[in-house]
Amino acid sequence: MTVSPAWHVRVEHEGAVTASGFLVGPGSVLTCAHVVHGIDHAMVSFPGAPGLAPVPARVTARGGWAGSPTDPGDVAVLSLDRPARVAPAVFAVLEQPLDRPPPRLVSYGFPEGYAEEGVQSELRPTSHQLIMNEWNQLEFWKGYGQEPSHGFSGSAAMLADSGAVVGMVSSYDPVGRSGRMIPSQVIARHLPALADLVPTPGYPAEEKRWLRELVSRMGATSSSVDRLLRAAAGTLGVDPPADSPAGLWQGVWYLLTETRPEPGRLPLAELTVRLADMTADRDLRHELRSWSREHRARNAHTSAPVAAPPRRADPPAPLPWAPILVELRRSGADRHLVNAEVSAYRDGSRLLVGAGRFGTGDVRPWVLDRIDEAFDELDGGRPLIAFSLPRDWLNRPVEQWTRSKAKEPPLGCSVPVVVMDHERRSKGRLRFQLKRMWEELDRQEGSALHRIGCGSTHRAPQLSVLLQEVHGPVGFTRPPRAGRDRELHGAALNAPAPIVLWPRTGCPPGGPCAGGCAGAAVLDQLATLISRLPPVELPELVFELRRAAFVHQGTTPHWAAELSLVWDDPRRFPEVRPLNRSPVG
């Protein structure tokens, strides 16, 4: 294939040839920062297009190069005073430099004796590894012809067979017969505007352009980029870069170039959600969430087979649950701070909706706002909100959360709400046992209630062993407020019981009831209602009971008021699987 060199340029200053460059847009030329060091204006000529007159240009971007040969960011952009009527260079990524034969690279420079017309030199990359995370090493390997020298700085290193640019020559040592090339993905790291031109498999140019514009509007972040990358991508198996990114864009570009999007493993979707929680700009927050949502939708994949429609004589089967997970944990930094995350599950994959650290008075409105946004991520099914809480927070009435009691009903009257023990979710043995429990529960047509009354004399370890043989809901007559009651509730969670119910209005702490046990009366009512109900449907029943209790207008509270439900099916909340490769290079 014959490649036109029209987009190669000669950079001049005050009548003298400075070095090379190449056109990357109608009005933009890329060259080395050291080529235009100390000057703000230059003259650009197109030897491959003799009909074009030289064009004045000004330096509009520099990559941070500070003057030393080992400084990173030796890139600069010249903006032409008028657009050039020449097609710009096309970028590629150098994928396999160790192929046999190795890929031939051609550069076009203007050394002494060839300042007018220029000359070509053939090079090859030594390896794909970067030197100081900045350069590929180049070798002059032909043995004859023009060797790179002064005047080649800023020249494009292009693949000989296609003419696509894989980097820019920045230096050459004639003694060692080796040089340096700044690869295209490193150029875009220093000059974000070029990211739209550099191929990043899995991330279309328009998607990158939108993301780049959003990142530029973020400005400085209060959190370090390293910490953001670990929080957003570490759970997906992506290691942060060896060198701390100099800014937010460099962290984003690292994920663009070092990961491939896969269903359920989208680190940039996680990162943009976290960035949305960090900005006070409502429009920017909305656009970041929109980018994340569209990125997820484009990479969505459903592998589950389509179920056959039910027979006409059969009643319609209940829709599957569409879970939303709210995780609340102590921050560890301050006893009044809470770490919060809200996620939606779709096709077995967790989609982060929001994450942050808040004071105890601020977490409720934030969580309710994120739950509203999580509904945009659901794709059919019945919504189910699960709060994963520290064990001693399980008695908190999260189903009663509302922004304003006078203006809207509580959360638990709008959608089924359950709680889960965060400690149990982190233990592989207990999660394994829970899955086995649910395999048994799925075969049951009813839910026989096992009661733990006020007069229970079992010690917590004994109760935990006994409950291992109970395949069904466990009901307590007392809430976990006092020490012994907390121990017994903990025993049920350690058993592990997949379903635990109790009335928060149950018997007060103390010894056995003298008579008329309030908690036992609630369990009697529950036992009758759930006896013919499959365990998987208990969240729906409790939801209906909470609605009935909320609209109840009798002189005494409804018997199901203040009802807590632990309902923990690990199959509905699978763990995030790590990426199977990173970095891709």
Side-chain angles (χ1 to χ4, degrees), residues 215-225 228 246-248 275 278-280 284:
V215 170
S216 68
R217 289 165 57 188
M218 277 294 298
T221 61
S222 57
S223 178
S224 75
V225 178
L228 274 172
L248 180 57
L275 293 178
M278 295 172 59
T279 179
L284 178 57

mmCIF file of all heavy atoms in Angstrom, residues 215-225 228 246-248 275 278-280 284:
data_model
loop_
_atom_site.group_PDB
_atom_site.id
_atom_site.type_symbol
_atom_site.label_atom_id
_atom_site.label_comp_id
_atom_site.label_asym_id
_atom_site.label_seq_id
_atom_site.Cartn_x
_atom_site.Cartn_y
_atom_site.Cartn_z
ATOM 1 N N VAL A 215 -14.813 14.619 32.474
ATOM 2 C CA VAL A 215 -13.659 14.643 33.387
ATOM 3 C C VAL A 215 -13.061 16.037 33.442
ATOM 4 O O VAL A 215 -12.660 16.519 34.513
ATOM 5 C CB VAL A 215 -12.612 13.601 32.949
ATOM 6 C CG1 VAL A 215 -11.319 13.773 33.730
ATOM 7 C CG2 VAL A 215 -13.155 12.195 33.145
ATOM 8 N N SER A 216 -12.990 16.732 32.292
ATOM 9 C CA SER A 216 -12.421 18.082 32.287
ATOM 10 C C SER A 216 -13.262 19.042 33.112
ATOM 11 O O SER A 216 -12.742 20.013 33.673
ATOM 12 C CB SER A 216 -12.291 18.593 30.848
ATOM 13 O OG SER A 216 -13.568 18.822 30.262
ATOM 14 N N ARG A 217 -14.563 18.780 33.215
ATOM 15 C CA ARG A 217 -15.443 19.640 34.014
ATOM 16 C C ARG A 217 -15.366 19.333 35.502
ATOM 17 O O ARG A 217 -15.845 20.120 36.322
ATOM 18 C CB ARG A 217 -16.879 19.482 33.521
ATOM 19 C CG ARG A 217 -17.125 20.107 32.156
ATOM 20 C CD ARG A 217 -18.425 19.620 31.535
ATOM 21 N NE ARG A 217 -19.585 19.871 32.387
ATOM 22 C CZ ARG A 217 -20.798 19.414 32.149
ATOM 23 N NH1 ARG A 217 -21.013 18.653 31.062
ATOM 24 N NH2 ARG A 217 -21.802 19.679 32.965
ATOM 25 N N MET A 218 -14.788 18.178 35.871
ATOM 26 C CA MET A 218 -14.697 17.813 37.283
ATOM 27 C C MET A 218 -13.760 18.722 38.040
ATOM 28 O O MET A 218 -13.976 19.037 39.210
ATOM 29 C CB MET A 218 -14.212 16.373 37.426
ATOM 30 C CG MET A 218 -15.277 15.319 37.291
ATOM 31 S SD MET A 218 -16.518 15.360 38.617
ATOM 32 C CE MET A 218 -15.509 15.040 40.066
ATOM 33 N N GLY A 219 -12.669 19.165 37.377
ATOM 34 C CA GLY A 219 -11.664 19.939 38.085
ATOM 35 C C GLY A 219 -10.928 19.071 39.082
ATOM 36 O O GLY A 219 -10.865 17.841 38.969
ATOM 37 N N ALA A 220 -10.373 19.689 40.105
ATOM 38 C CA ALA A 220 -9.640 18.951 41.128
ATOM 39 C C ALA A 220 -10.609 18.168 41.998
ATOM 40 O O ALA A 220 -11.733 18.604 42.265
ATOM 41 C CB ALA A 220 -8.813 19.904 41.985
ATOM 42 N N THR A 221 -10.189 16.977 42.440
ATOM 43 C CA THR A 221 -11.008 16.148 43.318
ATOM 44 C C THR A 221 -10.413 16.134 44.713
ATOM 45 O O THR A 221 -9.202 16.254 44.885
ATOM 46 C CB THR A 221 -11.100 14.707 42.790
ATOM 47 O OG1 THR A 221 -9.782 14.146 42.750
ATOM 48 C CG2 THR A 221 -11.690 14.685 41.395
ATOM 49 N N SER A 222 -11.294 15.994 45.700
ATOM 50 C CA SER A 222 -10.819 15.970 47.086
ATOM 51 C C SER A 222 -10.162 14.643 47.426
ATOM 52 O O SER A 222 -9.408 14.543 48.389
ATOM 53 C CB SER A 222 -11.993 16.222 48.046
ATOM 54 O OG SER A 222 -13.021 15.265 47.835
ATOM 55 N N SER A 223 -10.448 13.604 46.658
ATOM 56 C CA SER A 223 -9.872 12.281 46.905
ATOM 57 C C SER A 223 -8.727 12.051 45.935
ATOM 58 O O SER A 223 -8.741 12.534 44.799
ATOM 59 C CB SER A 223 -10.945 11.206 46.712
ATOM 60 O OG SER A 223 -10.429 9.913 46.899
ATOM 61 N N SER A 224 -7.713 11.325 46.364
ATOM 62 C CA SER A 224 -6.594 11.021 45.479
ATOM 63 C C SER A 224 -7.071 10.093 44.369
ATOM 64 O O SER A 224 -7.982 9.287 44.544
ATOM 65 C CB SER A 224 -5.453 10.374 46.262
ATOM 66 O OG SER A 224 -5.763 9.035 46.578
ATOM 67 N N VAL A 225 -6.430 10.226 43.205
ATOM 68 C CA VAL A 225 -6.815 9.386 42.070
ATOM 69 C C VAL A 225 -6.524 7.924 42.378
ATOM 70 O O VAL A 225 -7.293 7.034 42.009
ATOM 71 C CB VAL A 225 -6.079 9.852 40.798
ATOM 72 C CG1 VAL A 225 -6.436 8.963 39.616
ATOM 73 C CG2 VAL A 225 -6.425 11.300 40.486
ATOM 74 N N LEU A 228 -9.372 6.604 44.347
ATOM 75 C CA LEU A 228 -10.551 6.445 43.502
ATOM 76 C C LEU A 228 -10.454 5.185 42.646
ATOM 77 O O LEU A 228 -11.424 4.433 42.510
ATOM 78 C CB LEU A 228 -10.703 7.667 42.599
ATOM 79 C CG LEU A 228 -11.445 8.876 43.169
ATOM 80 C CD1 LEU A 228 -11.325 10.054 42.217
ATOM 81 C CD2 LEU A 228 -12.895 8.552 43.424
ATOM 82 N N ALA A 246 -0.938 11.529 37.612
ATOM 83 C CA ALA A 246 -0.745 12.945 37.918
ATOM 84 C C ALA A 246 -2.071 13.683 38.070
ATOM 85 O O ALA A 246 -2.107 14.774 38.622
ATOM 86 C CB ALA A 246 0.100 13.596 36.827
ATOM 87 N N GLY A 247 -3.140 13.127 37.579
ATOM 88 C CA GLY A 247 -4.440 13.774 37.671
ATOM 89 C C GLY A 247 -5.549 12.802 37.337
ATOM 90 O O GLY A 247 -5.307 11.639 36.997
ATOM 91 N N LEU A 248 -6.776 13.298 37.422
ATOM 92 C CA LEU A 248 -7.932 12.440 37.201
ATOM 93 C C LEU A 248 -7.949 11.876 35.784
ATOM 94 O O LEU A 248 -8.252 10.697 35.578
ATOM 95 C CB LEU A 248 -9.213 13.227 37.483
ATOM 96 C CG LEU A 248 -10.530 12.469 37.293
ATOM 97 C CD1 LEU A 248 -10.568 11.220 38.156
ATOM 98 C CD2 LEU A 248 -11.710 13.384 37.609
ATOM 99 N N LEU A 275 -17.524 9.520 40.833
ATOM 100 C CA LEU A 275 -17.272 10.925 40.534
ATOM 101 C C LEU A 275 -18.557 11.739 40.644
ATOM 102 O O LEU A 275 -18.536 12.892 41.095
ATOM 103 C CB LEU A 275 -16.678 11.067 39.135
ATOM 104 C CG LEU A 275 -15.273 10.509 38.921
ATOM 105 C CD1 LEU A 275 -14.853 10.682 37.467
ATOM 106 C CD2 LEU A 275 -14.267 11.186 39.838
ATOM 107 N N MET A 278 -19.160 12.988 43.961
ATOM 108 C CA MET A 278 -18.169 13.917 44.489
ATOM 109 C C MET A 278 -18.388 15.352 44.025
ATOM 110 O O MET A 278 -17.766 16.273 44.555
ATOM 111 C CB MET A 278 -16.762 13.465 44.071
ATOM 112 C CG MET A 278 -16.340 12.135 44.656
ATOM 113 S SD MET A 278 -14.784 11.541 43.961
ATOM 114 C CE MET A 278 -13.684 12.878 44.381
ATOM 115 N N THR A 279 -19.233 15.552 43.017
ATOM 116 C CA THR A 279 -19.418 16.897 42.487
ATOM 117 C C THR A 279 -20.694 17.535 43.009
ATOM 118 O O THR A 279 -21.707 16.858 43.199
ATOM 119 C CB THR A 279 -19.440 16.875 40.941
ATOM 120 O OG1 THR A 279 -19.650 18.195 40.456
ATOM 121 C CG2 THR A 279 -20.545 15.967 40.413
ATOM 122 N N ALA A 280 -20.632 18.851 43.223
ATOM 123 C CA ALA A 280 -21.815 19.592 43.654
ATOM 124 C C ALA A 280 -22.603 20.120 42.463
ATOM 125 O O ALA A 280 -23.701 20.663 42.638
ATOM 126 C CB ALA A 280 -21.403 20.757 44.551
ATOM 127 N N LEU A 284 -23.633 18.170 35.992
ATOM 128 C CA LEU A 284 -22.507 17.266 35.780
ATOM 129 C C LEU A 284 -22.770 15.918 36.435
ATOM 130 O O LEU A 284 -22.452 14.862 35.859
ATOM 131 C CB LEU A 284 -21.220 17.892 36.336
ATOM 132 C CG LEU A 284 -19.954 17.053 36.236
ATOM 133 C CD1 LEU A 284 -19.668 16.643 34.796
ATOM 134 C CD2 LEU A 284 -18.760 17.812 36.828
#
